[in-house]
Amino acid sequence: MGIVYLIQPAVYVGTNYFKIGMSSKDTIDRIKSYKLHTKVLCIYNCDEPENVEKKLIKYFTEKYKVIKGKEYFDSFNNLCIIFFMVVSIIGLTVSL
């Protein structure tokens, strides 16, 4: 069990830039490693976080502009809703 998450790193607060990430642990320790003032937008528990993250990145790469590496995207305010929809489409159980 692990997590996939959507955050807005502190350096991008006030922009439309967001990051998709994952941790193979079911804790938020990985998210805590980001700088102070990073905004956590969504966190979902899942059994195969690496595969889920790959599917999310693939989907977002096809729909949105990649701004850095492969996990940072330029998007708009409804990103959490879209993230939730994609997670649902790929068959995950969502934990809120």
Side-chain angles (χ1 to χ4, degrees):
M1 185 69 101
I3 61 170
V4 290
Y5 55 85
L6 179 67
I7 63 170
Q8 186 173 47
V11 296
Y12 295 121
V13 170
T15 71
N16 289 328
Y17 297 169
F18 301 89
K19 180 186 187 303
I20 293 172
M22 60 75 68
S23 174
S24 57
K25 298 177 182 178
D26 62 351
T27 67
I28 61 168
D29 291 344
R30 175 67 184 112
I31 295 170
K32 288 179 179 179
S33 71
Y34 290 96
K35 291 184 179 181
L36 187 63
H37 304 299
T38 291
K39 291 183 179 181
V40 178
L41 304 169
C42 302
I43 302 172
Y44 297 104
N45 293 319
C46 56
D47 289 327
E48 298 178 8
E50 292 172 12
N51 291 332
V52 172
E53 181 194 40
K54 285 179 187 178
K55 289 178 182 180
L56 285 167
I57 289 171
K58 182 178 187 277
Y59 177 86
F60 278 85
T61 299
E62 293 170 359
K63 303 288 184 191
Y64 304 103
K65 181 181 177 184
V66 179
I67 60 158
K68 179 180 174 186
K70 63 178 184 175
E71 301 170 336
Y72 290 81
F73 297 91
D74 184 357
S75 189
F76 57 97
N77 294 335
N78 294 330
L79 196 62
C80 285
I81 295 168
I82 295 165
F83 187 85
F84 174 80
M85 288 171 38
V86 173
V87 166
S88 297
I89 289 168
I90 61 177
L92 294 178
T93 303
V94 177
S95 300
L96 299 175

